């Protein structure tokens, strides 16, 4: 577009979540061909994915390849942690300050900080006294970690814990997994990508992209149009079996109402519980690993590679810290309310301050001195998940209020960025200096988010979708639950109607 641009990146290398999360077994839960950029047909043809679900190292190689291929590094400032951004109404520009004292001014300020990028702080008493090694899954060391001969403890059984458990169990002398809440997990059904498969995808990549854009999740899966309860039991079971063996995360889309109808969800949940039971030998361990008390997919399900069967190994133990909470970390390991677990290494796979954690870390100051933290004290408020009232020319990429973590995030980010590019061009062509969401449009979008959430089962679970992962966090449903296709149609409608919901001010109007 001929605009100057700079990316301010706190890390010492590009890659974001895929640069930090280098733990054993880390891989994407979206198929490689879909978890990739669509903006360049040449890039699509030249990059060769090796597996159906790419590992962290392969995704990081792809990211670096893209940066080199399109000469992007010249516009990236590494080791640059933004601590403050303030809007100056007089100049209609944002003033950005980094931790090291450097400053920038810019017309447009984009927050592309990620939804799962601020790890939760650990607060166990005595954790500083542990004499062994402590590792955070979301800040994995760059140097190799040797588990051989070690007694390893993993705290947390979300996606990170589920992915690393089978790998570490094969290497460690003993592994103890500390679980608070058992979750549903679907087999990844991962496999190498054959030459035939690669050729088939690349021969008609546009069709695959369009199928993803026109699907609810951005994964390309189109649910059976019937309700699960309306399908004969034998046919329904066959559909679940096929999805179990192939769809991974898309299992939730086997039938159209799994995430909206309790009866249909209960059938799917029981099917998954039966599959978990088939994989775990010990009845007591099986019971502890079985998720209950919330509908399937209302907490983000994991996609695993042998997680449940790992607990059949003689060197693996499961500790239920919902029943026996961790009371402290000692010099020698972890103490729960009923036992001591001697360990040489503790891995915190305890998750993230999701959606808003990274957005609220710097001090962001809008019109009249209001901070984003103050504006969002009762929960995030926005128009389309993109624009915030009182924060002109500031845009958020795949944050709260957008499909975000209920979608293929890469696809959703490109949809939003393409829309923003058109908006910025529209402003340049017409001398528009300031773009700001109206208060009415923001309030209406909040109603839309709540209405969509109420049509689903998501509010029935204490999850990061609801802000339940952090003490004191407002309990509001964060993402847009209406689906990728519907969200895109809303974006298109807004632009086609002269950017309804946005105040577009010319400079002389602002000055007046």
């Amino acid at each position: 577009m001929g605009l100057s641009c700079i990316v301010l990146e706190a890390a010492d290398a590009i890659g974001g979540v895929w640069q930090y999360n280098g733990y054993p077994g880390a891989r994407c839960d979206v198929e490689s061909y879909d978890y990739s950029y669509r903006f360049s047909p040449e890039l699509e043809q030249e990059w060769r994915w090796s597996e159906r679900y790419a590992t962290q190292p392969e995704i990081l190689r792809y990211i670096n390849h893209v940066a080199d291929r399109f000469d992007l590094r010249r516009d990236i400032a590494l080791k640059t942690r933004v601590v403050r951004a303030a809007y100056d109404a007089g100049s209609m520009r944002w003033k950005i300050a980094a931790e090291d004292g450097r400053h920038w001014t810019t017309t447009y300020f984009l927050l592309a900080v990620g939804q799962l990028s601020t790890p939760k702080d650990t607060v166990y008493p005595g954790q500083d006294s542990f004499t062994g090694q402590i590792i955070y899954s979301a800040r994995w060391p760059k140097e190799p970690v040797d588990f051989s001969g070690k007694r390893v403890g993993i705290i947390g059984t979300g996606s990170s814990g589920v992915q690393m458990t089978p790998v570490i169990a094969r290497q460690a002398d003993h592994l103890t997994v500390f679980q608070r809440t058992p979750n549903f997990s679907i087999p990844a059904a991962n496999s190498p990508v054959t030459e035939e498969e690669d050729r088939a995808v690349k021969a008609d990549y546009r069709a695959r992209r369009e199928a993803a854009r026109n699907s609810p999740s951005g994964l390309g899966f189109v649910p059976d149009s019937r309700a699960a309860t309306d399908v004969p039991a034998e046919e329904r079971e066959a559909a679940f079996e096929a999805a179990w063996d192939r769809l991974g995360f898309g299992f939730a889309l086997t039938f159209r109402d799994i995430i909206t109808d309790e009866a249909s969800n209960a059938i799917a949940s029981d099917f998954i519980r039966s599959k978990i039971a088939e994989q775990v030998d010990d009845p007591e361990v099986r019971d502890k690993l079985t998720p209950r008390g919330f509908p399937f997919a209302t907490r983000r399900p994991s996609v695993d590679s042998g997680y449940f069967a790992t607990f059949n190994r003689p060197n693996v133990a499961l500790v239920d810290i919902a029943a026996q909470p961790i009371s402290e970390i000692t010099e020698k390991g972890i103490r729960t309310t009923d036992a001591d677990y001697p360990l040489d290494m503790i891995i915190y796979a305890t998750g993230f301050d999701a959606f808003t954690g990274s957005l609220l870390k710097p001090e962001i100051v809008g019109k009249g001195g209001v901070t984003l933290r103050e504006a969002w004290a009762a929960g995030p408020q926005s128009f389309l998940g993109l624009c915030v009232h009182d924060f002109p020319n500031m845009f958020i990429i795949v944050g709260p209020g957008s499909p975000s973590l209920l979608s293929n995030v890469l696809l959703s980010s490109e949809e939003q960025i393409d829309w923003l590019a058109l908006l910025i061009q529209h402003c340049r062509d017409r001398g528009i200096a300031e773009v700001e969401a109206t208060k009415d449009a923001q309030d209406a979008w909040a109603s839309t988010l709540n209405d969509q959430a109420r049509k689903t089962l998501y509010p029935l679970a204490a999850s990061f979708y609801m802000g339940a992962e952090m003490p004191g966090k407002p309990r509001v449903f964060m993402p847009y639950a209406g689906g990728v296709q519907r969200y895109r149609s809303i974006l298109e409608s807004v632009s086609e109607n002269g950017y309804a919901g946005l105040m577009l001010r010319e400079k002389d109007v602002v000055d007046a």
Side-chain angles (χ1 to χ4, degrees):
M1 294 175 66
L3 293 168
S4 61
C5 177
I6 187 167
V7 178
L8 306 179
E9 169 57 58
D12 60 2
I14 65 170
V17 66
W18 298 111
Q19 196 269 133
Y20 280 118
N21 286 256
Y23 58 83
R27 67 172 72 237
C28 192
D29 58 7
V30 174
E31 290 193 38
S32 305
Y33 287 106
D34 302 308
Y35 195 80
S36 62
Y37 296 115
R38 71 167 190 265
F39 67 81
S40 168
E42 294 78 17
L43 173 65
E44 289 176 334
Q45 294 299 316
E46 71 190 29
W47 184 263
R48 174 64 161 88
W49 292 106
S50 66
E51 294 183 74
R52 185 176 171 223
Y53 292 100
T55 61
Q56 175 266 341
E58 185 168 14
I59 296 172
L60 193 56
R61 287 195 299 274
Y62 174 76
I63 292 168
N64 279 280
H65 171 79
V66 172
D68 294 333
R69 171 78 165 72
F70 298 97
D71 192 21
L72 303 179
R73 295 185 194 273
R74 60 181 176 173
D75 296 319
I76 302 172
L78 300 174
K79 300 181 183 178
T80 304
R81 182 174 295 281
V82 171
V83 292
R84 192 173 194 270
Y87 187 70
D88 179 69
S91 64
M92 290 164 291
R93 291 174 70 80
W94 282 91
K95 297 183 176 181
I96 316 295
E99 193 173 49
D100 60 9
R102 286 177 292 162
H103 291 80
W104 296 263
T105 61
T106 180
T107 302
Y108 299 107
F109 176 43
L110 275 65
L111 289 158
V113 295
Q115 318 81 8
L116 299 174
S117 50
T118 295
K120 287 192 279 189
D121 291 329
T122 51
V123 292
Y124 293 112
Q127 60 191 25
D128 294 335
S129 67
F130 182 60
T131 56
Q133 185 177 10
I134 291 179
I135 302 177
Y136 290 81
S137 64
R139 293 291 183 269
W140 198 262
K142 297 303 178 188
E143 63 275 6
V145 177
D146 184 10
F147 303 102
S148 58
K150 302 282 181 63
R151 298 166 298 178
V152 180
I154 298 174
I155 304 175
T157 55
S159 182
S160 301
V162 164
Q163 288 183 338
M164 71 175 69
T165 290
V167 181
I168 294 175
R170 293 193 293 267
Q171 302 173 29
D173 182 65
H174 192 273
L175 174 63
T176 306
V177 177
F178 296 85
Q179 169 194 270
R180 176 173 285 109
T181 306
N183 196 13
F184 293 97
S185 186
I186 312 297
N190 192 39
S191 61
V193 174
T194 66
E195 288 299 324
E196 183 181 2
E197 289 169 331
D198 186 61
R199 283 193 300 271
V201 171
K202 290 176 177 177
D204 201 8
Y205 221 140
R206 287 305 92 194
R208 186 181 180 113
R209 296 295 194 191
E210 287 306 303
R213 294 179 75 218
N214 290 295
S215 66
S217 62
L219 300 175
F221 302 129
V222 178
D224 190 312
S225 60
R226 296 170 296 176
T229 50
D230 292 341
V231 179
E234 187 174 330
E235 183 182 347
R236 186 175 60 219
E237 189 80 4
F240 281 145
E241 284 286 353
W244 181 261
D245 292 334
R246 179 69 177 95
L247 291 192
F249 193 71
F251 184 91
L253 302 171
T254 309
F255 296 100
R256 65 168 172 80
D257 65 339
I258 287 178
I259 202 61
T260 58
D261 182 82
E262 287 192 68
S264 290
N265 190 287
I267 295 170
S269 297
D270 285 343
F271 177 88
I272 299 171
R273 292 187 190 104
S274 71
K275 287 295 188 180
I276 293 172
E278 291 173 4
Q279 298 174 72
V280 185
D281 298 337
D282 186 288
E284 185 177 346
V285 174
R286 183 191 310 141
D287 186 64
K288 290 178 181 178
L289 287 169
T290 301
R292 301 182 182 88
F294 58 93
F296 164 64
T298 54
R299 295 169 62 93
R300 185 178 175 92
S302 299
V303 174
D304 73 271
S305 299
Y307 172 70
F308 294 108
T310 297
F311 290 92
N312 298 326
R313 296 177 62 98
N315 70 324
V316 177
L318 179 68
V319 177
D320 179 3
I321 57 174
Q324 289 87 37
I326 294 174
S327 55
E328 65 177 319
I329 307 293
T330 68
E331 290 184 14
K332 301 297 184 182
I334 292 177
R335 175 172 296 154
T336 67
T337 52
D338 72 337
D340 281 290
Y341 298 89
L343 300 167
D344 303 303
M345 182 185 297
I346 295 174
I347 299 171
Y348 288 112
T350 44
F352 301 86
D353 182 352
F355 289 106
T356 57
S358 295
L359 290 167
L360 298 179
K361 280 174 75 174
E363 182 183 43
I364 299 175
V365 186
K367 288 165 57 178
V370 64
T371 67
L372 189 62
R373 184 173 291 278
E374 290 167 343
W376 284 7
Q381 298 286 313
S382 71
F383 176 50
L384 307 173
L386 280 162
C387 319
V388 182
H389 180 65
D390 282 335
F391 294 81
N393 293 356
M394 182 185 86
F395 305 108
I396 300 170
I397 307 301
V398 286
S402 76
S404 193
L405 291 173
L406 292 181
S407 70
N408 174 356
V409 172
L410 226 60
L411 181 148
S412 287
S413 67
E414 284 194 291
E415 293 284 354
Q416 288 188 322
I417 291 163
D418 288 347
W419 187 84
L420 285 174
L422 292 174
L423 170 61
I424 291 171
Q425 188 62 56
H426 176 90
C427 292
R428 294 175 77 194
D429 292 344
R430 290 161 180 78
I432 303 298
E434 196 174 75
V435 178
E436 182 187 352
T438 69
K439 182 67 165 61
D440 287 346
Q442 184 165 282
D443 291 345
W445 188 244
S447 296
T448 296
L449 294 177
N450 290 330
D451 289 344
Q452 290 295 336
R454 281 192 288 269
K455 294 176 183 177
T456 74
L457 304 177
Y458 288 116
L460 299 182
S463 70
F464 63 60
Y465 298 136
M466 295 292 297
E469 82 284 7
M470 296 290 292
K473 196 169 183 176
R475 295 297 191 263
V476 295
F477 188 72
M478 302 275 182
Y480 171 75
V484 166
Q485 183 182 26
R486 187 176 300 168
Y487 179 77
R488 186 178 77 253
S489 70
I490 293 171
L491 291 181
E492 292 170 349
S493 175
V494 167
S495 57
E496 289 166 2
N497 286 282
Y499 293 100
L502 295 176
M503 293 179 281
L504 306 180
R505 304 187 184 100
E506 299 175 17
K507 188 177 191 308
D508 58 348
V509 174
V510 176
D511 290 342

